[in-house]
Amino acid sequence: MSDLSVTPDPAPATSAPAVGAPVAGDVASRVPDKVSLDGLEERWDAAWSAQGTYSFDRTATREQVYSIDTPPPTVSGSLHVGHVFSYTHTDVVARFQRMRGREVFYPMGWDDNGLPTERRVQNYYGVRCDPTLPYAYAFTPPHEGGEGKSIKAADQVPISRRNFVDLCERLTVEDEVQFEALWRRLGLSVDWSHHYQTIDARSRAVAQKAFLRNLARGEAYQAEAPGLWDVTFQTAVAQAELEARDYPGHFHRIAFHRSGEGAEAGTPIYIETTRPELIPAVVALIAHPDDERYAHLFGTTVTDPLFGIEIPVLAHPAAEPDKGAGIAMCCTFGDLTDVQWWRELQLATHSVISRDGRLLREVPEWITDEAGRALFAELAGRTTFSARTAVVDALRASGDLDGEPTPTQRMANFFEKGDKPLEIVTSRQWYIRNGGRSDGRGAGLREELLARGTELAFHPDFMRVRYENWVGGLNGDWLISRQRFFGVSIPLWYPLDAEGEVVFDHPLTPDEVTLPIDPSSDVPAGYTADQRGVPGGFVGEADVMDTWATSSLTPQIAGGWGWDDDLFARVFPMDLRPQGQDIIRTWLFSTVVRSHLEHGSLPWAHAAISGWILDPDRKKMSKSKGNVVTPMGLLEEHGSDAVRYWAASARLGTDAAFEVGQMKIGRRLAIKVLNASKFALGFGTVEAADPALVTEPLDRAMLAGLADVVDAATAALEAYDHTKALEVTETFFWTFCDDYLELVKDRAYGAGAAEGAEPSEATLSARASLALALDTLLRLLAPVIPFATEEVWSWWKEGSVHRAPWPTAAPLRAAAGDADPTTLLAAGRALAALRKVKSEAKVSMRIRIVAGELVVPGAHLALVAAALGDVLAAGRADVALVGEDVEGAVVRAAELEVPQA
């Protein structure tokens, strides 16, 4: 429990007093005897909730609103310190904009659909989904708790899709409770009445509505085409989800043989490949059109060494003469280059890899050679690894393997969450146009999306090039269908013809008012439930949408598109999208695509891009690397203000080290705010804050310097540079504490005045200046350290500091007049010189310097002279002031009083 006993009782927002109004009575009586950071998080979170401090006023006009497209964290485990880092950056912006007078729309979402949740449910409950099973009522999972890592995949209990989805929804709700508790502990100023799940009914309705509109405009389409496939998760993978990783393999030098008759017949043509198991899928050998070694072969054919398939030799500019043998086999499909060649050269399709990652179980019809058919029959159903071994053995036996395989590291494409290289298989999938196709419509859309990138303000601006490079490098449209279980259903059915065959070209669509729908259980208009799966009836689309197809609509989901149009008009297009740099290609780009297609605009005006958190070895922290730090322990050990300080000390777009030392500095700052405020408020009533009472040169100089800080911090925050704003404010704050408070302490206490006498003009000036400075500094620091600043505000003011207006420089400058802010710096250095004498003499700072000279640089003589009374009082010195050509202040010929025994 906190030992700070003076706290405003939580009251309903409707009865809250005017923000910033002075409390009744003497302020000094409200300042606690002992200050502490302990317990502030729990107490102020409860007060903020009760008082509706961060509630969004939905009567505000769009011009009055600042809306944030808050990233919905993935609910598939625990938050890590990287989340604390980036979400703190956003919260600083939200608090600043709120104090600037904007109504801040700051919702929270939970990204709980898709593969991460499925994997977590499998591990947590020890189950796996089998869509062929019926629903089991009152199902109890075989395992619960921990991560279920002791349960092998083979031992997971198969359950129906509906039971599996039930468990997904159950676990995400439990996780979200923990996530909200951590965000509250961190002090995020979220309006918790505005939250969503990416799998809830509203999110599903928005995602399905947007898809149907894409379909109606021709922006969504289905195609039977080669696509990337993860054999482990049994799902298609989009280009944006790829990771290129090193993968060990071997180069095999293999002989193909010239076809036909004559002297050249049978001549070997050597290729080098890491995937000899794909020889039965080869549809051409390809070399560069300018490669003289193979120019005479273009237009001829060769025969593969094992299966007797005749293959054309063709030219294509994407072939690499200096790679391997300079001529490559084009398989359908080994990699994305094969897809390019296949499409542009209009080659045959001879796919041999099935969705389970094994070779076809039937001998393909294009293999007509009997020996070749017999060999393939031996390979049928094998994994690619096993088939590769068998093919290499067969090449050795035939004499077509030139030498032995040589080890190499090749780059292979992986699903970002997968462990095995992706295969390319042909399947029917759904796509949304994103400018990735090279046809006329695709090229036009690409240019439009590049233009959108120029309209968007990136913070920092150098992140813009990542967007431009991604859009410019796209080589296909956005594949959005997934063969998973927990996700937003693609809202379609397909009619069955009289023979029971699916008519994919004429999908059946629902009315928007019926959304969300589940085609596996709902029935299309004009049909009855008993027509499902029978000739002349219908079937539901089995696939779900890629999770990005829903997450790309977070502005529409959070803003109420389609179900709260009044709210949507007040918040969209939004002001800010905060996010990580690694998902510019996915989340940022896909959101721009959906908004451009649906609304003809950007989804937001600004994008704030956070850097990564690095571990002590300067490696990115991530769950997959196992080097993350869970944040709740940090918040409890150091305090939320301290952790927020560490986060705010790093600029947008730059990677930051995980530094407990920086958190300790932040805790020291928060404690100093409490202690310095206790001193500043310890003199009496709030009337002391009257600017008209400021008369002393040192006081005016301090306020002049603070006015400069207000201008600099405001400009920095307007430019989304929270780090600079914190730097200038913190630097001034420590100068204020270390120099100004020490210099004016005696004067503020009224030292030397008769007991009971009215405070002097100089004393009132000090007290007024302390109050004015504290009022300003608390508001400047509030976005970064919200708990300590709110605590002090409650000793002194009604309402919340977080609803107080952002400080402006004008009233400070009016109080400061024409004072030179460097007066405080010069006086502080002079005081330090006096104290250095005592420190070197190893005597108490209370010992007086009874004689000597205080020598200061000539340029500072007038400045120090203006504050000399405060300098000598604080330094307990009776010395002469001298200006000379010296580098810094020094004391010459000092004599110290002799302490009495």
Side-chain angles (χ1 to χ4, degrees), residues 185-224:
R185 176 84 185 202
L186 182 63
L188 295 192
S189 58
V190 165
D191 181 350
W192 290 102
S193 68
H194 290 278
H195 68 275
Y196 64 88
Q197 300 170 303
T198 56
I199 199 65
D200 66 23
R202 288 174 176 172
S203 294
R204 296 199 307 272
V206 167
Q208 291 181 342
K209 175 181 176 180
F211 171 82
L212 291 173
R213 293 191 173 192
N214 292 139
L215 180 63
R217 292 190 296 262
E219 297 151 1
Y221 65 91
Q222 58 182 325
E224 184 83 19

mmCIF file of all heavy atoms in Angstrom, residues 185-224:
data_model
loop_
_atom_site.group_PDB
_atom_site.id
_atom_site.type_symbol
_atom_site.label_atom_id
_atom_site.label_comp_id
_atom_site.label_asym_id
_atom_site.label_seq_id
_atom_site.Cartn_x
_atom_site.Cartn_y
_atom_site.Cartn_z
ATOM 1 N N ARG A 185 -1.563 -1.450 -15.888
ATOM 2 C CA ARG A 185 -0.409 -1.261 -15.011
ATOM 3 C C ARG A 185 0.600 -0.321 -15.662
ATOM 4 O O ARG A 185 1.226 0.511 -14.983
ATOM 5 C CB ARG A 185 0.246 -2.616 -14.725
ATOM 6 C CG ARG A 185 1.508 -2.558 -13.896
ATOM 7 C CD ARG A 185 1.205 -2.524 -12.428
ATOM 8 N NE ARG A 185 2.404 -2.358 -11.617
ATOM 9 C CZ ARG A 185 2.490 -2.702 -10.349
ATOM 10 N NH1 ARG A 185 1.462 -3.259 -9.733
ATOM 11 N NH2 ARG A 185 3.601 -2.500 -9.665
ATOM 12 N N LEU A 186 0.760 -0.429 -16.958
ATOM 13 C CA LEU A 186 1.687 0.438 -17.688
ATOM 14 C C LEU A 186 1.167 1.864 -17.778
ATOM 15 O O LEU A 186 1.945 2.796 -17.982
ATOM 16 C CB LEU A 186 1.935 -0.127 -19.087
ATOM 17 C CG LEU A 186 2.910 0.614 -19.992
ATOM 18 C CD1 LEU A 186 4.322 0.617 -19.395
ATOM 19 C CD2 LEU A 186 2.915 0.009 -21.390
ATOM 20 N N GLY A 187 -0.130 2.038 -17.619
ATOM 21 C CA GLY A 187 -0.698 3.379 -17.672
ATOM 22 C C GLY A 187 -1.147 3.817 -19.050
ATOM 23 O O GLY A 187 -1.222 5.022 -19.317
ATOM 24 N N LEU A 188 -1.472 2.867 -19.945
ATOM 25 C CA LEU A 188 -1.984 3.276 -21.250
ATOM 26 C C LEU A 188 -3.308 4.010 -21.065
ATOM 27 O O LEU A 188 -4.214 3.518 -20.392
ATOM 28 C CB LEU A 188 -2.190 2.065 -22.161
ATOM 29 C CG LEU A 188 -0.954 1.273 -22.572
ATOM 30 C CD1 LEU A 188 -1.300 0.305 -23.699
ATOM 31 C CD2 LEU A 188 0.204 2.179 -22.983
ATOM 32 N N SER A 189 -3.431 5.165 -21.692
ATOM 33 C CA SER A 189 -4.635 5.987 -21.526
ATOM 34 C C SER A 189 -5.706 5.601 -22.537
ATOM 35 O O SER A 189 -6.323 6.442 -23.192
ATOM 36 C CB SER A 189 -4.286 7.471 -21.650
ATOM 37 O OG SER A 189 -3.678 7.756 -22.903
ATOM 38 N N VAL A 190 -5.938 4.306 -22.638
ATOM 39 C CA VAL A 190 -6.924 3.740 -23.560
ATOM 40 C C VAL A 190 -8.329 3.959 -23.003
ATOM 41 O O VAL A 190 -8.544 3.905 -21.791
ATOM 42 C CB VAL A 190 -6.647 2.229 -23.741
ATOM 43 C CG1 VAL A 190 -7.820 1.514 -24.382
ATOM 44 C CG2 VAL A 190 -5.372 2.028 -24.559
ATOM 45 N N ASP A 191 -9.277 4.187 -23.894
ATOM 46 C CA ASP A 191 -10.682 4.183 -23.510
ATOM 47 C C ASP A 191 -11.161 2.740 -23.635
ATOM 48 O O ASP A 191 -11.425 2.249 -24.722
ATOM 49 C CB ASP A 191 -11.493 5.104 -24.434
ATOM 50 C CG ASP A 191 -12.965 5.163 -24.054
ATOM 51 O OD1 ASP A 191 -13.388 4.351 -23.208
ATOM 52 O OD2 ASP A 191 -13.686 6.009 -24.604
ATOM 53 N N TRP A 192 -11.268 2.060 -22.488
ATOM 54 C CA TRP A 192 -11.550 0.626 -22.502
ATOM 55 C C TRP A 192 -12.982 0.308 -22.901
ATOM 56 O O TRP A 192 -13.327 -0.876 -23.063
ATOM 57 C CB TRP A 192 -11.211 0.006 -21.152
ATOM 58 C CG TRP A 192 -9.734 -0.019 -20.922
ATOM 59 C CD1 TRP A 192 -8.995 0.815 -20.143
ATOM 60 C CD2 TRP A 192 -8.800 -0.915 -21.537
ATOM 61 N NE1 TRP A 192 -7.657 0.494 -20.225
ATOM 62 C CE2 TRP A 192 -7.509 -0.564 -21.070
ATOM 63 C CE3 TRP A 192 -8.920 -1.981 -22.427
ATOM 64 C CZ2 TRP A 192 -6.359 -1.231 -21.457
ATOM 65 C CZ3 TRP A 192 -7.771 -2.651 -22.815
ATOM 66 C CH2 TRP A 192 -6.514 -2.281 -22.337
ATOM 67 N N SER A 193 -13.819 1.324 -23.082
ATOM 68 C CA SER A 193 -15.162 1.051 -23.601
ATOM 69 C C SER A 193 -15.136 0.840 -25.107
ATOM 70 O O SER A 193 -16.129 0.386 -25.689
ATOM 71 C CB SER A 193 -16.115 2.203 -23.249
ATOM 72 O OG SER A 193 -15.759 3.387 -23.949
ATOM 73 N N HIS A 194 -14.018 1.170 -25.735
ATOM 74 C CA HIS A 194 -13.856 0.958 -27.177
ATOM 75 C C HIS A 194 -12.799 -0.122 -27.391
ATOM 76 O O HIS A 194 -11.604 0.157 -27.471
ATOM 77 C CB HIS A 194 -13.434 2.257 -27.876
ATOM 78 C CG HIS A 194 -14.509 3.287 -27.930
ATOM 79 N ND1 HIS A 194 -15.502 3.301 -28.872
ATOM 80 C CD2 HIS A 194 -14.759 4.358 -27.125
ATOM 81 C CE1 HIS A 194 -16.308 4.325 -28.663
ATOM 82 N NE2 HIS A 194 -15.886 4.980 -27.608
ATOM 83 N N HIS A 195 -13.249 -1.363 -27.440
ATOM 84 C CA HIS A 195 -12.313 -2.446 -27.712
ATOM 85 C C HIS A 195 -12.998 -3.480 -28.605
ATOM 86 O O HIS A 195 -14.219 -3.506 -28.726
ATOM 87 C CB HIS A 195 -11.813 -3.087 -26.419
ATOM 88 C CG HIS A 195 -12.848 -3.852 -25.665
ATOM 89 N ND1 HIS A 195 -13.708 -3.251 -24.784
ATOM 90 C CD2 HIS A 195 -13.170 -5.166 -25.673
ATOM 91 C CE1 HIS A 195 -14.520 -4.159 -24.271
ATOM 92 N NE2 HIS A 195 -14.227 -5.322 -24.794
ATOM 93 N N TYR A 196 -12.192 -4.294 -29.243
ATOM 94 C CA TYR A 196 -12.720 -5.283 -30.176
ATOM 95 C C TYR A 196 -11.784 -6.475 -30.234
ATOM 96 O O TYR A 196 -10.641 -6.421 -29.768
ATOM 97 C CB TYR A 196 -12.876 -4.682 -31.581
ATOM 98 C CG TYR A 196 -11.558 -4.262 -32.210
ATOM 99 C CD1 TYR A 196 -10.793 -5.149 -32.956
ATOM 100 C CD2 TYR A 196 -11.070 -2.963 -32.045
ATOM 101 C CE1 TYR A 196 -9.586 -4.771 -33.513
ATOM 102 C CE2 TYR A 196 -9.869 -2.575 -32.607
ATOM 103 C CZ TYR A 196 -9.128 -3.483 -33.338
ATOM 104 O OH TYR A 196 -7.928 -3.101 -33.878
ATOM 105 N N GLN A 197 -12.301 -7.560 -30.783
ATOM 106 C CA GLN A 197 -11.498 -8.734 -31.122
ATOM 107 C C GLN A 197 -11.556 -8.902 -32.633
ATOM 108 O O GLN A 197 -12.591 -8.633 -33.250
ATOM 109 C CB GLN A 197 -12.057 -9.993 -30.456
ATOM 110 C CG GLN A 197 -12.103 -9.960 -28.938
ATOM 111 C CD GLN A 197 -12.897 -11.126 -28.391
ATOM 112 O OE1 GLN A 197 -14.065 -11.293 -28.733
ATOM 113 N NE2 GLN A 197 -12.283 -11.924 -27.554
ATOM 114 N N THR A 198 -10.462 -9.351 -33.219
ATOM 115 C CA THR A 198 -10.486 -9.512 -34.677
ATOM 116 C C THR A 198 -11.295 -10.733 -35.106
ATOM 117 O O THR A 198 -11.384 -11.010 -36.306
ATOM 118 C CB THR A 198 -9.054 -9.614 -35.234
ATOM 119 O OG1 THR A 198 -8.362 -10.685 -34.589
ATOM 120 C CG2 THR A 198 -8.298 -8.321 -35.025
ATOM 121 N N ILE A 199 -11.885 -11.448 -34.156
ATOM 122 C CA ILE A 199 -12.738 -12.588 -34.494
ATOM 123 C C ILE A 199 -14.161 -12.377 -33.973
ATOM 124 O O ILE A 199 -15.015 -13.242 -34.125
ATOM 125 C CB ILE A 199 -12.137 -13.895 -33.925
ATOM 126 C CG1 ILE A 199 -12.706 -15.141 -34.618
ATOM 127 C CG2 ILE A 199 -12.320 -13.963 -32.419
ATOM 128 C CD1 ILE A 199 -12.361 -15.242 -36.077
ATOM 129 N N ASP A 200 -14.442 -11.218 -33.356
ATOM 130 C CA ASP A 200 -15.793 -11.024 -32.833
ATOM 131 C C ASP A 200 -16.769 -10.750 -33.985
ATOM 132 O O ASP A 200 -16.373 -10.608 -35.147
ATOM 133 C CB ASP A 200 -15.840 -9.932 -31.754
ATOM 134 C CG ASP A 200 -15.513 -8.537 -32.272
ATOM 135 O OD1 ASP A 200 -15.656 -8.286 -33.488
ATOM 136 O OD2 ASP A 200 -15.091 -7.692 -31.449
ATOM 137 N N ALA A 201 -18.055 -10.707 -33.648
ATOM 138 C CA ALA A 201 -19.083 -10.612 -34.690
ATOM 139 C C ALA A 201 -18.921 -9.354 -35.536
ATOM 140 O O ALA A 201 -19.080 -9.387 -36.764
ATOM 141 C CB ALA A 201 -20.470 -10.650 -34.050
ATOM 142 N N ARG A 202 -18.589 -8.228 -34.895
ATOM 143 C CA ARG A 202 -18.439 -6.991 -35.654
ATOM 144 C C ARG A 202 -17.249 -7.066 -36.599
ATOM 145 O O ARG A 202 -17.327 -6.627 -37.751
ATOM 146 C CB ARG A 202 -18.296 -5.816 -34.697
ATOM 147 C CG ARG A 202 -19.605 -5.458 -33.984
ATOM 148 C CD ARG A 202 -19.386 -4.389 -32.946
ATOM 149 N NE ARG A 202 -20.649 -3.981 -32.320
ATOM 150 C CZ ARG A 202 -20.734 -3.180 -31.271
ATOM 151 N NH1 ARG A 202 -19.636 -2.683 -30.725
ATOM 152 N NH2 ARG A 202 -21.906 -2.862 -30.760
ATOM 153 N N SER A 203 -16.132 -7.608 -36.118
ATOM 154 C CA SER A 203 -14.949 -7.728 -36.971
ATOM 155 C C SER A 203 -15.229 -8.658 -38.147
ATOM 156 O O SER A 203 -14.820 -8.378 -39.290
ATOM 157 C CB SER A 203 -13.758 -8.239 -36.159
ATOM 158 O OG SER A 203 -13.370 -7.304 -35.184
ATOM 159 N N ARG A 204 -15.909 -9.764 -37.886
ATOM 160 C CA ARG A 204 -16.228 -10.683 -38.979
ATOM 161 C C ARG A 204 -17.139 -10.006 -39.996
ATOM 162 O O ARG A 204 -16.962 -10.166 -41.208
ATOM 163 C CB ARG A 204 -16.886 -11.955 -38.435
ATOM 164 C CG ARG A 204 -15.997 -12.784 -37.544
ATOM 165 C CD ARG A 204 -16.477 -14.227 -37.402
ATOM 166 N NE ARG A 204 -17.862 -14.342 -36.994
ATOM 167 C CZ ARG A 204 -18.291 -14.365 -35.736
ATOM 168 N NH1 ARG A 204 -17.406 -14.235 -34.749
ATOM 169 N NH2 ARG A 204 -19.565 -14.503 -35.452
ATOM 170 N N ALA A 205 -18.111 -9.239 -39.503
ATOM 171 C CA ALA A 205 -19.024 -8.559 -40.420
ATOM 172 C C ALA A 205 -18.290 -7.544 -41.280
ATOM 173 O O ALA A 205 -18.524 -7.442 -42.495
ATOM 174 C CB ALA A 205 -20.147 -7.883 -39.629
ATOM 175 N N VAL A 206 -17.376 -6.773 -40.671
ATOM 176 C CA VAL A 206 -16.610 -5.776 -41.423
ATOM 177 C C VAL A 206 -15.740 -6.463 -42.471
ATOM 178 O O VAL A 206 -15.690 -6.036 -43.641
ATOM 179 C CB VAL A 206 -15.756 -4.931 -40.466
ATOM 180 C CG1 VAL A 206 -14.722 -4.108 -41.245
ATOM 181 C CG2 VAL A 206 -16.631 -3.999 -39.640
ATOM 182 N N ALA A 207 -15.037 -7.528 -42.075
ATOM 183 C CA ALA A 207 -14.140 -8.213 -43.009
ATOM 184 C C ALA A 207 -14.934 -8.832 -44.161
ATOM 185 O O ALA A 207 -14.515 -8.769 -45.329
ATOM 186 C CB ALA A 207 -13.344 -9.283 -42.278
ATOM 187 N N GLN A 208 -16.075 -9.427 -43.859
ATOM 188 C CA GLN A 208 -16.875 -10.048 -44.915
ATOM 189 C C GLN A 208 -17.508 -8.997 -45.830
ATOM 190 O O GLN A 208 -17.572 -9.167 -47.049
ATOM 191 C CB GLN A 208 -17.940 -10.947 -44.293
ATOM 192 C CG GLN A 208 -17.344 -12.187 -43.625
ATOM 193 C CD GLN A 208 -18.395 -13.100 -43.021
ATOM 194 O OE1 GLN A 208 -19.540 -12.699 -42.785
ATOM 195 N NE2 GLN A 208 -18.015 -14.337 -42.760
ATOM 196 N N LYS A 209 -17.948 -7.902 -45.238
ATOM 197 C CA LYS A 209 -18.529 -6.823 -46.046
ATOM 198 C C LYS A 209 -17.487 -6.259 -47.007
ATOM 199 O O LYS A 209 -17.775 -6.039 -48.200
ATOM 200 C CB LYS A 209 -19.046 -5.733 -45.117
ATOM 201 C CG LYS A 209 -19.564 -4.483 -45.817
ATOM 202 C CD LYS A 209 -20.018 -3.459 -44.784
ATOM 203 C CE LYS A 209 -20.454 -2.150 -45.431
ATOM 204 N NZ LYS A 209 -20.903 -1.154 -44.423
ATOM 205 N N ALA A 210 -16.284 -6.001 -46.507
ATOM 206 C CA ALA A 210 -15.237 -5.454 -47.366
ATOM 207 C C ALA A 210 -14.892 -6.422 -48.489
ATOM 208 O O ALA A 210 -14.695 -6.019 -49.641
ATOM 209 C CB ALA A 210 -13.999 -5.136 -46.533
ATOM 210 N N PHE A 211 -14.829 -7.729 -48.161
ATOM 211 C CA PHE A 211 -14.527 -8.720 -49.191
ATOM 212 C C PHE A 211 -15.613 -8.744 -50.266
ATOM 213 O O PHE A 211 -15.309 -8.783 -51.473
ATOM 214 C CB PHE A 211 -14.392 -10.107 -48.556
ATOM 215 C CG PHE A 211 -14.286 -11.218 -49.567
ATOM 216 C CD1 PHE A 211 -13.086 -11.517 -50.172
ATOM 217 C CD2 PHE A 211 -15.414 -11.953 -49.929
ATOM 218 C CE1 PHE A 211 -12.995 -12.531 -51.121
ATOM 219 C CE2 PHE A 211 -15.343 -12.960 -50.875
ATOM 220 C CZ PHE A 211 -14.134 -13.259 -51.470
ATOM 221 N N LEU A 212 -16.872 -8.746 -49.853
ATOM 222 C CA LEU A 212 -17.958 -8.786 -50.835
ATOM 223 C C LEU A 212 -17.929 -7.566 -51.744
ATOM 224 O O LEU A 212 -18.232 -7.662 -52.943
ATOM 225 C CB LEU A 212 -19.304 -8.883 -50.116
ATOM 226 C CG LEU A 212 -19.570 -10.219 -49.402
ATOM 227 C CD1 LEU A 212 -20.851 -10.126 -48.589
ATOM 228 C CD2 LEU A 212 -19.637 -11.372 -50.403
ATOM 229 N N ARG A 213 -17.566 -6.418 -51.186
ATOM 230 C CA ARG A 213 -17.463 -5.220 -52.017
ATOM 231 C C ARG A 213 -16.264 -5.317 -52.956
ATOM 232 O O ARG A 213 -16.330 -4.870 -54.108
ATOM 233 C CB ARG A 213 -17.392 -3.981 -51.135
ATOM 234 C CG ARG A 213 -18.694 -3.734 -50.383
ATOM 235 C CD ARG A 213 -18.731 -2.381 -49.726
ATOM 236 N NE ARG A 213 -20.045 -2.107 -49.154
ATOM 237 C CZ ARG A 213 -20.436 -0.922 -48.712
ATOM 238 N NH1 ARG A 213 -19.613 0.118 -48.796
ATOM 239 N NH2 ARG A 213 -21.632 -0.756 -48.197
ATOM 240 N N ASN A 214 -15.141 -5.871 -52.469
ATOM 241 C CA ASN A 214 -14.009 -6.125 -53.361
ATOM 242 C C ASN A 214 -14.430 -7.040 -54.508
ATOM 243 O O ASN A 214 -14.063 -6.822 -55.672
ATOM 244 C CB ASN A 214 -12.862 -6.787 -52.600
ATOM 245 C CG ASN A 214 -12.196 -5.886 -51.589
ATOM 246 O OD1 ASN A 214 -11.870 -6.312 -50.483
ATOM 247 N ND2 ASN A 214 -11.963 -4.625 -51.932
ATOM 248 N N LEU A 215 -15.216 -8.067 -54.178
ATOM 249 C CA LEU A 215 -15.672 -9.016 -55.196
ATOM 250 C C LEU A 215 -16.573 -8.332 -56.210
ATOM 251 O O LEU A 215 -16.420 -8.515 -57.422
ATOM 252 C CB LEU A 215 -16.409 -10.171 -54.509
ATOM 253 C CG LEU A 215 -16.962 -11.275 -55.418
ATOM 254 C CD1 LEU A 215 -15.826 -11.985 -56.147
ATOM 255 C CD2 LEU A 215 -17.783 -12.276 -54.597
ATOM 256 N N ALA A 216 -17.492 -7.514 -55.738
ATOM 257 C CA ALA A 216 -18.421 -6.838 -56.640
ATOM 258 C C ALA A 216 -17.710 -5.891 -57.590
ATOM 259 O O ALA A 216 -18.142 -5.707 -58.736
ATOM 260 C CB ALA A 216 -19.469 -6.081 -55.819
ATOM 261 N N ARG A 217 -16.608 -5.289 -57.124
ATOM 262 C CA ARG A 217 -15.868 -4.344 -57.980
ATOM 263 C C ARG A 217 -14.798 -5.045 -58.817
ATOM 264 O O ARG A 217 -14.068 -4.377 -59.558
ATOM 265 C CB ARG A 217 -15.203 -3.272 -57.108
ATOM 266 C CG ARG A 217 -16.179 -2.316 -56.427
ATOM 267 C CD ARG A 217 -15.444 -1.142 -55.798
ATOM 268 N NE ARG A 217 -14.562 -1.558 -54.726
ATOM 269 C CZ ARG A 217 -14.846 -1.509 -53.431
ATOM 270 N NH1 ARG A 217 -16.037 -1.064 -53.038
ATOM 271 N NH2 ARG A 217 -13.975 -1.893 -52.523
ATOM 272 N N GLY A 218 -14.680 -6.339 -58.686
ATOM 273 C CA GLY A 218 -13.671 -7.066 -59.453
ATOM 274 C C GLY A 218 -12.292 -7.017 -58.843
ATOM 275 O O GLY A 218 -11.305 -7.414 -59.481
ATOM 276 N N GLU A 219 -12.181 -6.569 -57.594
ATOM 277 C CA GLU A 219 -10.877 -6.498 -56.926
ATOM 278 C C GLU A 219 -10.526 -7.798 -56.220
ATOM 279 O O GLU A 219 -9.360 -8.062 -55.947
ATOM 280 C CB GLU A 219 -10.891 -5.346 -55.909
ATOM 281 C CG GLU A 219 -11.098 -3.993 -56.550
ATOM 282 C CD GLU A 219 -11.787 -2.998 -55.627
ATOM 283 O OE1 GLU A 219 -12.088 -3.349 -54.473
ATOM 284 O OE2 GLU A 219 -12.026 -1.857 -56.079
ATOM 285 N N ALA A 220 -11.528 -8.620 -55.918
ATOM 286 C CA ALA A 220 -11.307 -9.954 -55.368
ATOM 287 C C ALA A 220 -11.628 -10.966 -56.456
ATOM 288 O O ALA A 220 -12.629 -10.825 -57.168
ATOM 289 C CB ALA A 220 -12.180 -10.179 -54.138
ATOM 290 N N TYR A 221 -10.788 -11.955 -56.594
ATOM 291 C CA TYR A 221 -11.007 -12.977 -57.626
ATOM 292 C C TYR A 221 -10.374 -14.281 -57.171
ATOM 293 O O TYR A 221 -9.506 -14.320 -56.303
ATOM 294 C CB TYR A 221 -10.415 -12.530 -58.964
ATOM 295 C CG TYR A 221 -8.908 -12.382 -58.957
ATOM 296 C CD1 TYR A 221 -8.071 -13.447 -59.307
ATOM 297 C CD2 TYR A 221 -8.317 -11.177 -58.593
ATOM 298 C CE1 TYR A 221 -6.683 -13.303 -59.298
ATOM 299 C CE2 TYR A 221 -6.942 -11.029 -58.579
ATOM 300 C CZ TYR A 221 -6.132 -12.096 -58.930
ATOM 301 O OH TYR A 221 -4.760 -11.959 -58.913
ATOM 302 N N GLN A 222 -10.836 -15.367 -57.750
ATOM 303 C CA GLN A 222 -10.259 -16.673 -57.454
ATOM 304 C C GLN A 222 -9.516 -17.182 -58.678
ATOM 305 O O GLN A 222 -9.848 -16.844 -59.813
ATOM 306 C CB GLN A 222 -11.338 -17.666 -57.017
ATOM 307 C CG GLN A 222 -12.441 -17.876 -58.020
ATOM 308 C CD GLN A 222 -13.497 -18.830 -57.514
ATOM 309 O OE1 GLN A 222 -13.184 -19.783 -56.809
ATOM 310 N NE2 GLN A 222 -14.755 -18.586 -57.859
ATOM 311 N N ALA A 223 -8.502 -17.970 -58.421
ATOM 312 C CA ALA A 223 -7.703 -18.500 -59.526
ATOM 313 C C ALA A 223 -7.090 -19.833 -59.113
ATOM 314 O O ALA A 223 -6.733 -20.038 -57.949
ATOM 315 C CB ALA A 223 -6.595 -17.513 -59.907
ATOM 316 N N GLU A 224 -7.018 -20.725 -60.087
ATOM 317 C CA GLU A 224 -6.300 -21.986 -59.924
ATOM 318 C C GLU A 224 -4.886 -21.710 -60.400
ATOM 319 O O GLU A 224 -4.632 -21.547 -61.590
ATOM 320 C CB GLU A 224 -6.950 -23.078 -60.767
ATOM 321 C CG GLU A 224 -6.343 -24.457 -60.593
ATOM 322 C CD GLU A 224 -6.887 -25.194 -59.379
ATOM 323 O OE1 GLU A 224 -7.960 -24.813 -58.893
ATOM 324 O OE2 GLU A 224 -6.225 -26.135 -58.913
#
